[in-house]
Amino acid sequence: MIRERFRDLLYILITCSLALSCDGCRSRGRAVLAGAEPAPETVVNLKQFGLPANYQRFDDDDCSGHVIVYRFVVWLPRNLVAVGFNTSPSCRTHPDERVLGGTARVIVFDTKGNVKARRDIAYYADGGDELVAPGEAGQGPGGTLLFRIEEAVGSKSGVLLLDDGLNDVTRIDRFLERTDFFTHALSFQDGFMWSGPRTYDLLEGRQAGKTREVTRDWPSGTMDREVGTYGDAFISCKQELKPGLWVDTNIVYGGAHRRCVLNVIGVHGDAWTASLQDDHVAEIIGVRADGSAVGIVRAPKAADRLVVWQPSGAATSLPWFPSGYDTKLGGADSVMGRYLGKGESCESDCERGGTRWMIFDAHEQKALVDRTSRDNSPMALSLDGLHYASFEAGELRIYSIARRN
């Protein structure tokens, strides 16, 4: 710990300048990748933009269980990066004293650290006795920034789409089911159903216009599902409740063997399936324009695998994390030639620090970036795959990645 603090202090002393030419940024050389601690190309001290000194309490259980807070970094078109954090309290001052109001500050920078836009967004910060959902943001359809609003008052939930100048594009006061990983289209479920047919609206483009309305009666045993731009997919699983007795059920039985199938339904009604190995399950990432499907396959006592399934039945594994990590796909360039993964080791505490971030190149079949953040800091990959950004130690840090060979 002392060595890390000394290193950070030495880093600041070396890189700081009294005359800041671009709103607090500090330019550095190109990042050293895959094998050494990378050096950021640009660093922006976010405290001068109002980042609270105790912003890291975002991760405390006594805070995150009651107060809606924001901390994110999102890449936008034109190589712009948006950073967001709440300037309002992240914790109650007393367990029974609610945070009455909330303010999220969003700032857009270019890769040199110059401020391109800035805005404060008001929201209801206190989630009451039980937090509905944390605050979050991401890439929206048509190159927009999606700012998700979760407000316990009146169970309000909605999304606000902003342009890169942080001007309103549109607001939709509906519960967002999920976004398409590849097109960032918005999927809204019409009402809430425990069972029976469910109707989904898919909104796409800059103005989030409705392009699809889909009704699906997901079969019993469905473990994951997605309605997307290029098709719909779901994982259906049978469980062995007695030797030789395989049953479709929505109840997950501990210790029961599973036999799962990936099901894909194209936008024109063409359907295909791919069987997983016994006791393997999958998290669906989405359906791609060529009709293939992407997902993360998980199995007991084995490393997660990032897999692409073709309608022909062929399956290909892409470079991914070693064993010992609970993994998520955190972003990709426009063709998924490069993609960002997040891994948390459950040998310690999956919710606290020790988050491993890796950026892979599908063509070179290797990791370009491999690093660990100490405080679960968010990271994001640029749309062209040539930069990544992190929000850590109270700073926005922007790194360059070498161009493809």
Side-chain angles (χ1 to χ4, degrees):
M1 180 65 71
I2 294 175
R3 184 175 63 182
E4 291 173 348
R5 290 181 177 176
F6 177 79
R7 183 190 62 192
D8 290 343
L9 178 59
L10 182 61
Y11 169 78
I12 293 172
L13 291 173
I14 293 174
T15 58
C16 275
S17 172
L18 293 177
L20 298 177
S21 59
C22 53
D23 292 304
C25 69
R26 300 188 292 274
S27 294
R28 297 291 305 270
R30 297 184 66 82
V32 180
L33 304 172
E37 182 72 15
E41 182 179 76
T42 301
V43 177
V44 180
N45 181 356
L46 294 175
K47 292 181 181 179
Q48 65 179 309
F49 294 99
L51 178 69
N54 64 343
Y55 82 97
Q56 288 178 310
R57 291 205 67 190
F58 170 93
D59 292 318
D60 289 358
D61 286 334
D62 60 342
C63 302
S64 58
H66 297 286
V67 181
I68 301 169
V69 296
Y70 290 87
R71 186 171 69 185
F72 60 82
V73 55
V74 178
W75 282 92
L76 301 172
R78 300 194 300 144
N79 262 343
L80 299 176
V81 59
V83 177
F85 51 86
N86 54 293
T87 57
S88 53
S90 296
C91 292
R92 294 176 174 178
T93 56
H94 185 274
D96 297 325
E97 185 177 340
R98 296 190 176 190
V99 177
L100 298 179
T103 301
R105 180 158 296 165
V106 186
I107 311 169
V108 175
F109 298 92
D110 63 17
T111 56
K112 299 301 181 183
N114 298 301
V115 176
K116 311 305 289 186
R118 175 173 169 169
R119 178 177 174 179
D120 287 351
I121 300 175
Y123 68 100
Y124 290 101
D126 202 290
D129 295 332
E130 184 177 354
L131 193 62
V132 177
E136 58 183 342
Q139 295 174 359
T144 58
L145 171 66
L146 184 154
F147 183 89
R148 189 164 183 172
I149 301 171
E150 304 287 359
E151 299 175 354
V153 180
S155 298
K156 183 184 291 184
S157 177
V159 295
L160 179 63
L161 299 183
L162 308 172
D163 62 20
D164 58 17
L166 300 181
N167 303 300
D168 286 10
V169 174
T170 188
R171 174 165 175 161
I172 305 168
D173 287 318
R174 299 175 63 184
F175 180 79
L176 180 64
E177 180 82 7
R178 63 191 296 173
T179 61
D180 186 298
F181 182 84
F182 301 105
T183 67
H184 311 298
L186 312 178
S187 177
F188 296 95
Q189 183 179 328
D190 186 12
F192 180 78
M193 304 287 291
W194 285 106
S195 62
R198 305 182 188 187
T199 299
Y200 300 87
D201 293 334
L202 198 71
L203 279 59
E204 301 187 68
R206 188 177 181 82
Q207 297 298 324
K210 183 176 176 179
T211 57
R212 293 184 67 204
E213 181 179 302
V214 179
T215 299
R216 298 286 182 211
D217 191 355
W218 307 110
S220 179
T222 297
M223 297 296 180
D224 193 17
R225 61 184 69 90
E226 161 156 321
V227 174
T229 300
Y230 304 117
D232 311 329
F234 64 97
I235 300 291
S236 57
C237 297
K238 294 179 180 293
Q239 297 180 74
E240 190 180 33
L241 302 187
K242 295 180 180 179
L245 177 63
W246 294 86
V247 177
D248 297 317
T249 174
N250 291 327
I251 301 173
V252 178
Y253 290 88
H257 293 292
R258 297 183 191 180
R259 187 169 289 168
C260 300
V261 176
L262 167 69
N263 306 266
V264 178
I265 307 170
V267 291
H268 302 297
D270 49 315
W272 56 275
T273 63
S275 297
L276 279 64
Q277 298 180 36
D278 283 1
D279 291 329
H280 288 215
V281 297
E283 173 192 342
I284 296 172
I285 301 301
V287 179
R288 303 200 293 187
D290 63 0
S292 63
V294 181
I296 298 176
V297 175
R298 299 187 172 94
K301 300 180 181 179
D304 291 354
R305 293 187 298 123
L306 182 62
V307 178
V308 178
W309 293 273
Q310 301 293 339
S312 64
T316 304
S317 293
L318 297 177
W320 200 232
F321 286 77
S323 60
Y325 290 90
D326 183 17
T327 63
K328 293 287 185 181
L329 188 60
D333 63 15
S334 58
V335 295
M336 204 174 168
R338 288 179 172 177
Y339 48 93
L340 170 70
K342 177 183 180 180
E344 294 181 336
S345 174
C346 290
E347 294 178 357
S348 53
D349 187 339
C350 292
E351 302 297 328
R352 293 289 179 269
T355 302
R356 187 173 181 179
W357 297 90
M358 300 182 74
I359 297 176
F360 302 89
D361 190 295
H363 304 291
E364 298 184 19
Q365 290 286 297
K366 67 179 184 180
L368 303 176
V369 176
D370 184 351
R371 53 175 307 194
T372 300
S373 65
R374 296 188 296 273
D375 58 355
N376 200 22
S377 304
M379 293 189 185
L381 179 67
S382 65
L383 280 63
D384 60 7
L386 298 178
H387 295 87
Y388 74 97
S390 67
F391 181 169
E392 55 186 319
E395 297 176 331
L396 166 66
R397 299 176 181 177
I398 300 175
Y399 303 80
S400 291
I401 306 175
R403 293 183 178 274
R404 297 180 178 91
N405 295 327

